Amino acid sequence: MGRSVLDFLGVEIIGVMSPVSICMLLVVLLVSTLSPSASDSAAAAASATTAATLVYDESPSDPPGRRLAGALLNAAAFVALITVATTLLVVLYYYRFTGFLRNYIRFSAFFVLASMGGSILLSILRAAAFPLDAFSALVLLLNLSAVGVPAVLSPAVPVLLRQAYLVALAVIVAAWFARLPEWTTWTLLLALALYDLAAVLCPRGPLRVLVELASSRDEELPALVYESRPASASVSHAVAALGSVELQPVEPAPPNPTLSNRNVDPDRTSVEIESLEEETSPLVPNEPSSSGDARQQDITAEREREREGERNQDPSSSSSLPWPALESDAFDASRGIRLGLGDFVFYSVLVGRAAMYDLMTVYACYLAIISGLGCTLILLSICRHALPALPISITLGVGFYFLTRLLLEPFVIGASTSLVMF
């Protein structure tokens, strides 16, 4: 029975779910550690104006109807802003402004690390009462930010360092987005899930056009994308990119001309002594050539029978696989699963917002997000074309949050206070 592509995706799936889990854990720790008091939180929400609160500044004293309408307006404005930015990115990439886009991404990474990351670092130092002077903190922050600029895009940087900086960027941005007002946060997450669905699956969606344009040019997108690469290049698996599934065969090695001239099987690593003596020995000049050809044919036939017997005895031989036999037993897995950094951010925003209420909702949202990501990867390996990563996970996460908060938590608390055991 042939093995499916899913049998070879375990390492790559774990390689994506592990950093996603780490990112969500760090955001939960930051939100739980650095959450201000109720009065400070209200003052901060009133003074902070971001791209997600341009239209309506939510206040806890507003009635629910007004808060819902304002949250919908904020979500619509934010999605429109993202649509315009993505369309501009497509236009610049279409006209090959790749250098400009890469420099803009580097500047954005430096700004996030130095400005937003510096604010979070300062809050951590204050909360921990760590004795560090301002000059040393500034030098440390600038060094970390300067290293992150080439780390996010340069292929010369070690993979682990690049992955660490991408996770750090996602944690910083998610920690800032988690400070948004509650109604705006939930509405924005659902709106982004719908936008992701339309932008990837619609024929003229901006993300789909961008991915198809990069595929037609056979080059990497100038974007922040997390890549799950195998630990060793010798280990090969089925490749599943978040934008596409690629099964790339390794080109067979060209035949050795020396061995071909000697009529020796290239699969063998040694040359038979008899064949060498037949070609080089001056002691048998009068031996007929037909006798030598017959001997060579017998040797070749015997080797073919030996190899056929080995293949029949080995059930894991490459001939039993549902795809052609390739070097190193499978496919080129140099890319692995690829997940956009925005997916990291909004997964973590959902869990961070849940952490502001209770740990039970955090567990429920985490399990829902991981389950949704697993379902997306399974659909990806089946459909083998671009799929959005937000809709299933965000929908399950938001649904599980409200189910846990409204139904499960009152039931568990009531059962615990009544000493009901299951």
Side-chain angles (χ1 to χ4, degrees):
M1 181 185 224
R3 291 172 290 179
S4 66
V5 178
L6 295 177
D7 296 333
F8 298 91
L9 291 179
V11 176
E12 284 81 3
I13 290 176
I14 294 175
V16 167
M17 289 188 176
S18 298
V20 169
S21 301
I22 293 173
C23 184
M24 290 190 287
L25 175 62
L26 293 177
V27 171
V28 169
L29 292 177
L30 283 176
V31 170
S32 302
T33 304
L34 304 179
S35 327
S37 61
S39 59
D40 295 338
S41 178
S47 60
T49 301
T50 62
T53 57
L54 290 175
V55 179
Y56 169 69
D57 192 6
E58 183 179 330
S59 174
S61 60
D62 292 340
R66 183 178 179 183
R67 295 168 71 180
L68 178 60
L72 290 174
L73 291 176
N74 283 335
F78 189 77
V79 169
L81 184 62
I82 289 182
T83 304
V84 172
T86 309
T87 305
L88 181 61
L89 174 64
V90 173
V91 172
L92 292 176
Y93 186 72
Y94 179 79
Y95 289 103
R96 299 185 182 275
F97 286 92
T98 309
F100 172 79
L101 293 176
R102 291 183 179 275
N103 291 329
Y104 173 74
I105 291 174
R106 294 188 180 100
F107 170 77
S108 301
F110 181 82
F111 176 80
V112 170
L113 292 171
S115 177
M116 302 167 65
S119 176
I120 294 177
L121 178 62
L122 182 60
S123 301
I124 294 175
L125 293 177
R126 287 177 177 175
F130 190 80
L132 185 66
D133 60 281
F135 178 76
S136 300
L138 180 61
V139 171
L140 177 63
L141 180 63
L142 290 178
N143 277 275
L144 292 175
S145 304
V147 174
V149 171
V152 293
L153 289 179
S154 176
V157 177
V159 176
L160 290 179
L161 182 62
R162 181 182 181 184
Q163 292 175 342
Y165 267 99
L166 289 175
V167 172
L169 287 172
V171 170
I172 293 171
V173 176
W176 275 84
F177 268 99
R179 301 177 180 179
L180 293 175
E182 184 177 10
W183 288 63
T184 300
T185 302
W186 298 119
T187 309
L188 180 62
L189 288 174
L190 293 175
L192 287 172
L194 294 176
Y195 164 78
D196 197 25
L197 191 67
V200 175
L201 297 183
C202 288
R204 294 299 179 183
L207 292 180
R208 181 169 182 174
V209 172
L210 193 62
V211 171
E212 291 178 351
L213 187 59
S215 299
S216 63
R217 296 180 180 178
D218 194 18
E219 60 185 18
E220 294 290 337
L221 278 173
L224 297 178
V225 178
Y226 185 93
E227 297 183 6
S228 170
R229 297 178 183 270
S232 174
S234 62
V235 180
S236 46
H237 304 276
V239 175
L242 191 63
S244 61
V245 174
E246 299 179 4
L247 306 180
Q248 300 177 352
V250 179
E251 294 295 332
N256 192 329
T258 305
L259 296 179
S260 300
N261 294 334
R262 292 181 177 178
N263 296 324
V264 179
D265 188 357
D267 293 335
R268 304 286 291 185
T269 58
S270 62
V271 180
E272 292 291 334
I273 298 177
E274 292 84 359
S275 62
L276 289 176
E277 290 179 350
E278 180 182 344
E279 291 180 341
T280 60
S281 176
L283 300 179
V284 285
N286 297 325
E287 184 176 358
S289 60
S290 60
S291 175
D293 294 341
R295 289 176 56 193
Q296 185 63 39
Q297 291 176 1
D298 293 340
I299 293 173
T300 304
E302 183 178 356
R303 291 172 185 165
E304 290 293 337
R305 287 193 297 271
E306 292 176 357
R307 287 196 296 271
E308 186 67 26
E310 292 175 358
R311 285 195 293 266
N312 293 334
Q313 294 175 2
D314 186 7
S316 64
S317 175
S318 59
S319 60
S320 63
L321 298 178
W323 45 77
L326 305 175
E327 185 179 354
S328 299
D329 194 36
F331 305 95
D332 179 15
S334 59
R335 294 175 66 183
I337 296 176
R338 308 173 71 205
L339 189 65
L341 204 64
D343 303 322
F344 280 76
V345 171
F346 296 113
Y347 292 162
S348 303
V349 169
L350 196 155
V351 178
R353 188 70 223 186
M356 295 183 180
Y357 181 75
D358 187 63
L359 286 180
M360 187 180 300
T361 57
V362 173
Y363 301 146
C365 292
Y366 170 76
L367 294 177
I369 290 172
I370 293 299
S371 301
L373 182 58
C375 293
T376 303
L377 295 176
I378 292 174
L379 290 176
L380 177 65
S381 63
I382 295 174
C383 300
R384 304 198 178 194
H385 63 79
L387 289 178
L390 285 181
I392 299 179
S393 295
I394 294 298
T395 303
L396 289 177
V398 174
F400 271 66
Y401 172 81
F402 286 104
L403 287 176
T404 303
R405 179 172 177 175
L406 300 177
L407 298 179
L408 182 60
E409 186 181 25
F411 172 76
V412 172
I413 293 177
S416 300
T417 53
S418 301
L419 301 180
V420 177
M421 305 297 293
F422 297 96

